[in-house]
């Protein structure tokens, strides 16, 4: 074919690709607006192509200690029609698929990742009839069912989709690189040794997981027209790369989960009667570049209370959004890239529920709160725990007892209120988790979450008077990405003007987004 004929074909293909991407993002934006006040519900049924992901995080802590985490969700890596492999009986993590992740402690293993054809995801109902249908959800993945008030599991190891040795090595290298960068200024030998030590390798065990857990006394996050979800007015923006939601701040749990090893080994039953739980969710186009996430309950004095903190590198316009591409390429001399960079902020969502008073305190960015302090450090293992041994590779408690402790201090203020969190977690005992890695086109290992040995000392002061001071156990924490860069954006000097400008620009395209979406839906 003559070169002159190739150029129009290439241009036509580029225009078609841009139109498809624009239609997809408009479609997702319309789904976000359609489910504005029902962010807990599945968005998957409203989105037929990728890139797109969503997932729900169920954390359950039995009354006698330990923790079980279940994460169901969906992943769509490619535009509609680009791949049909996700409908195969055994999809890979590169195909459109539904998934269920499971991990726990103290009998820890590598994260169990069960992958199902995308058609195995089905919405069963849209709400709790007792609440007038205004809240809740219920959906199925394979033979397992998930809802706002509980879940049932029936997971066959035949659906497991493990990471490869290459993926494990790449993830290990990333974790070590990020940790070394975070403590690059440390000059003591103990910290240097802890930073250079590789994370603990838990065994890969193909469990059959069954069970049923129901929730009672669910504490919901208060919402309003100003804050329809935990994201506040940011929930109205159609172009953010990741949307966060809280389904249940706290609830009581009843039931059990059974882990059956292969070869007819003795099943391990985790009874959660009288336990506590928490449920949140995420959906969007991608995870942030860097983030800190902390969640804790199990407060011995302030029983029934819970705290959730998320600090992330947030672009007001997703890097993958069509408007971002337009700004990036339309403005000369690199001005477009500079403008988008100025639109990145250290966004934070912070909620403390105080069960004794029934009050929920919100220290999020949109409530004019300030992240005053964000500090990292390390400490040696507790003297009493240093003599513990870890002969069993799956005994996460024994492994944690010998690990050097990472410390994290966060201070948030809002008017006369001050919230201080002092977090301690053993280094190198987290479990690698899968997350959306759209650059590589798959659900890849990108997150190390620690749920063993994590403590969150939480102090709330109102006008100088301490009203909450307790240490939450069985906590969870994720520390991901370039945290020095994230910390550099935190503080009272937060650049609100550029952020507000980016916010206004994003809000200004809502009408255009809706118009484009309606057009492509009608074609």
């Amino acid at each position: 074919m003559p070169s002159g004929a190739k150029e129009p074909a290439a241009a036509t293909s580029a225009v078609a690709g841009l139109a498809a991407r624009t239609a997809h993002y408009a479609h997702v934006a319309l789904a976000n607006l359609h489910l504005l006040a029902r962010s807990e519900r599945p968005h998957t049924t409203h989105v037929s192509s990728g890139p797109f992901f969503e997932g729900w995080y169920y954390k359950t802590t039995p009354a006698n200690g330990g923790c079980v985490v279940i994460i169901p969700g969906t992943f769509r890596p490619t535009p509609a029609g680009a791949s049909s492999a996700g409908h195969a009986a055994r999809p890979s993590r590169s195909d459109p698929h539904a998934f269920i992740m499971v991990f726990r402690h103290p009998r820890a293993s590598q994260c169990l990742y069960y992958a199902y054809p995308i058609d195995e995801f089905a919405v069963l109902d849209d709400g709790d009839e007792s609440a007038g249908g205004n809240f809740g959800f219920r959906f199925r993945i394979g033979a397992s069912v998930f809802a706002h008030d509980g879940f049932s599991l029936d997971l066959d190891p035949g659906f497991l989709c493990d990471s490869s040795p290459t993926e494990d090595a790449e993830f290990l290298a990333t974790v070590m690189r990020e940790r070394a960068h975070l403590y690059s200024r440390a000059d003591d030998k103990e910290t240097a040794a802890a930073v250079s030590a590789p994370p603990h390798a838990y065994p890969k065990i193909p469990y059959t997981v069954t069970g049923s857990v129901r929730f009672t006394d669910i504490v919901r996050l208060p919402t309003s027209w100003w804050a329809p979800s935990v994201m506040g007015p940011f929930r109205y923006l159609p172009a953010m790369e990741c949307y966060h939601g809280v389904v249940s701040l706290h609830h009581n749990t009843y039931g059990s989960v059974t882990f059956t090893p292969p070869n007819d080994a003795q099943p391990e039953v985790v009874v959660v009667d009288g336990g506590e739980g928490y449920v949140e969710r995420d959906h969007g186009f991608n995870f942030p570049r860097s983030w800190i996430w902390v969640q804790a309950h199990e407060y011995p004095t302030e029983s029934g209370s819970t705290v959730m903190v998320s600090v992330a590198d947030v672009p007001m316009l997703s890097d993958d959004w069509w408007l971002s591409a337009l700004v990036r390429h339309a403005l000369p001399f690199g001005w477009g890239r500079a403008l988008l960079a100025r639109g990145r902020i250290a966004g934070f969502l912070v909620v403390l529920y105080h069960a004794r008073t029934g009050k929920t305190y919100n220290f999020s960015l949109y409530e004019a709160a300030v992240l005053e302090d964000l500090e990292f450090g390390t400490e040696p293992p507790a003297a009493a725990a240093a003599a513990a041994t870890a002969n069993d590779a799956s005994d996460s408690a024994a492994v944690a007892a010998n690990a050097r402790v990472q410390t994290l201090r966060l201070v948030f203020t809002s008017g006369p209120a001050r919230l201080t969190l002092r977090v301690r977690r053993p280094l190198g005992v987290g479990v690698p988790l899968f997350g959306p890695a759209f650059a590589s086109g798959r659900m890849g290992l990108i997150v190390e979450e620690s749920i063993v040995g994590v403590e969150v000392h939480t102090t709330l002061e109102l006008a100088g008077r301490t009203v909450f001071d307790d240490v939450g156990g069985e906590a969870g924490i994720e520390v991901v990405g370039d945290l020095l860069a994230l910390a550099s954006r935190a503080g009272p000097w937060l650049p609100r003007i550029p952020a507000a400008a980016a916010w206004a620009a994003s809000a200004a395209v809502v009408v255009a987004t809706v118009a484009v979406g309606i057009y492509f839906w009608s074609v």
Side-chain angles (χ1 to χ4, degrees):
M1 180 183 294
S3 60
K6 293 181 180 179
E7 293 178 0
T12 301
S13 176
V15 171
L18 177 61
R21 289 194 300 273
T22 301
H24 167 68
Y25 289 122
H27 200 152
V28 174
L30 284 172
N32 286 332
L33 295 175
H34 177 67
L35 297 173
L36 188 66
R38 298 293 305 277
S39 60
E40 80 281 357
R41 285 179 52 187
H43 287 52
T44 293
T45 53
H46 297 268
V47 180
S48 58
S49 63
F52 182 78
F53 79 94
E54 70 176 334
W56 292 257
Y57 179 96
Y58 290 79
K59 179 185 172 190
T60 301
T61 56
N64 60 349
C67 182
V68 177
V69 176
I70 315 292
I71 308 176
T74 62
F75 176 71
R76 295 182 184 271
T78 55
S83 172
S84 60
H87 301 277
R90 295 291 188 272
S92 73
R93 285 180 285 105
S94 299
D95 299 321
H97 66 281
F99 61 83
I100 301 173
M101 286 187 273
V102 182
F103 62 104
R104 60 169 176 153
H105 94 82
R107 296 292 299 172
S109 67
Q110 291 287 355
C111 175
L112 302 169
Y113 190 96
Y114 301 85
Y116 294 82
I118 194 69
D119 293 342
E120 286 291 304
F121 181 95
V123 175
L124 302 180
D125 65 64
D126 292 336
D128 186 350
E129 294 299 327
S130 65
N134 293 322
F135 174 75
F137 60 88
R138 194 173 305 276
F139 63 86
R140 175 183 60 81
I141 297 178
S144 301
V145 176
F146 302 89
H148 62 284
D149 57 358
F151 59 84
S152 64
L153 300 173
D154 188 355
L155 302 174
D156 189 311
F159 288 93
L160 281 172
C161 192
D162 288 334
S163 57
S164 67
T166 300
E167 288 180 286
D168 294 340
E170 291 174 350
F171 176 75
L172 175 61
T174 299
V175 170
M176 299 298 290
R177 183 172 60 252
E178 291 177 354
R179 193 188 299 170
H181 177 63
L182 178 61
Y183 292 104
S184 58
R185 300 169 188 171
D187 55 5
D188 60 290
K189 294 181 179 180
E190 290 79 7
T191 297
V195 168
S196 61
H200 179 70
Y202 293 105
K204 292 187 177 182
I205 305 174
Y207 284 107
T208 298
V209 184
T210 57
S212 178
V213 177
R214 62 184 178 89
F215 308 153
T216 64
D217 303 315
I218 298 173
V219 178
R220 293 173 55 190
L221 179 77
T223 58
S224 64
W225 69 268
W226 162 253
S229 78
V230 72
M231 292 187 66
F234 290 94
R235 182 63 181 83
Y236 288 97
L237 302 185
M240 301 192 75
E241 65 180 0
C242 186
Y243 293 84
H244 192 67
V246 174
V247 179
S248 171
L249 281 168
H250 184 274
H251 54 259
N252 298 320
T253 62
Y254 298 90
S256 65
V257 179
T258 300
F259 294 81
T260 304
N263 303 322
D264 298 322
Q266 182 67 28
E268 303 160 14
V269 182
V270 181
V271 178
V272 301
D273 291 346
E276 301 181 49
Y278 168 85
V279 183
E280 67 175 31
R281 58 158 285 129
D282 289 287
H283 75 275
F285 308 125
N286 217 340
F287 273 0
R289 292 180 182 176
S290 307
W291 76 88
I292 300 166
W293 173 86
V294 178
Q295 190 280 325
H297 43 252
E298 295 286 353
Y299 288 97
T301 303
E302 300 288 357
S303 178
S305 300
T306 187
V307 68
M308 186 280 295
V309 176
S310 177
V311 183
D313 181 330
V314 179
M316 303 308 293
L317 294 176
S318 171
D319 291 340
D320 296 325
W321 183 249
W322 63 272
L323 183 62
S324 298
L326 180 64
V327 171
R328 188 181 302 114
H329 297 294
L331 297 182
F333 311 116
W335 292 344
R337 294 181 183 276
L339 178 61
L340 292 173
R342 290 292 290 170
R344 304 190 76 92
I345 62 172
F348 51 91
L349 306 173
V350 183
V351 176
L352 170 66
Y353 170 67
H354 190 189
R356 181 160 50 86
T357 61
K359 293 183 178 180
T360 301
Y361 298 91
N362 195 324
F363 286 83
S364 300
L365 174 64
Y366 58 84
E367 292 289 351
V370 174
L371 173 53
E372 280 197 351
D373 196 14
L374 173 56
E375 298 178 355
F376 296 91
T378 65
E379 296 177 354
T389 59
N391 296 322
D392 184 350
S394 65
D395 189 347
S396 53
V399 173
N402 291 277
R404 191 169 179 84
V405 175
Q406 180 182 50
T407 61
L408 171 64
R409 182 174 183 268
L410 303 105
V411 180
F412 302 90
T413 58
S414 180
R418 181 183 182 89
L419 178 66
T420 303
L421 290 94
R422 301 173 184 86
V423 186
R424 302 176 78 254
R425 74 154 179 172
L427 272 172
V429 300
V431 175
L433 301 185
F434 298 88
F438 289 107
S440 57
R442 67 173 187 262
M443 284 287 286
L445 292 174
I446 62 173
V447 183
E448 180 193 15
E449 180 169 333
S450 298
I451 58 172
V452 54
V454 182
E455 297 179 347
V456 181
H457 187 174
T458 308
T459 304
L460 174 65
E461 301 169 274
L462 300 179
R465 181 174 60 92
T466 300
V467 298
F468 188 108
D469 188 21
D470 203 358
V471 180
E474 305 299 346
I477 180 172
E478 298 171 0
V479 179
V480 180
D482 186 351
L483 298 184
L484 292 182
L486 180 63
S488 70
R489 296 191 180 98
W493 54 268
L494 181 70
R496 297 179 186 275
I497 295 177
W503 183 6
S506 181
V509 304
V510 171
V511 175
T513 299
V514 173
V516 171
I518 292 175
Y519 170 75
F520 281 103
W521 261 356
S522 64
V523 171

